[in-house]
Amino acid sequence: TTLGKGGVGYEPGNARDLAAAIDLVATDQELRHALQGAAALNARRHDIAETAARLTLLSLTAIEGRR
């Protein structure tokens, strides 16, 4: 999985790895601010009307494929 600047990676199923990632975010203020900024930029890229239209089209395509 590619996280880019918007996340902190960890190995799925590895509780220690997840705990270390949580600890890192909890203790690193600069990292938290960077993640917040990346999240805000990512949210601006996804207009709600555009997302709804794409989801509707995807749903209709899936429904048509089942007929």
Side-chain angles (χ1 to χ4, degrees), residues 59-67:
S59 298
L60 291 172
T61 302
I63 290 168
E64 285 299 316
R66 295 183 78 188
R67 291 184 182 174

Side-chain angles (χ1 to χ4, degrees), residues 1-9 25 30-42 45:
T1 302
T2 301
L3 296 173
K5 296 179 182 179
V8 176
V25 173
E30 188 174 319
L31 175 60
R32 277 195 314 279
H33 286 282
L35 291 172
Q36 291 167 347
L41 286 173
N42 192 41
R45 290 185 17 221

Side-chain angles (χ1 to χ4, degrees), residues 2-58:
T2 301
L3 296 173
K5 296 179 182 179
V8 176
Y10 67 94
E11 182 182 337
N14 184 330
R16 287 180 190 225
D17 204 23
L18 175 58
I22 292 169
D23 285 344
L24 177 62
V25 173
T27 59
D28 188 332
Q29 184 176 9
E30 188 174 319
L31 175 60
R32 277 195 314 279
H33 286 282
L35 291 172
Q36 291 167 347
L41 286 173
N42 192 41
R44 282 193 284 269
R45 290 185 17 221
H46 299 286
D47 175 72
I48 189 66
E50 171 75 18
T51 301
R54 292 177 81 179
L55 182 57
T56 298
L57 180 59
L58 179 63

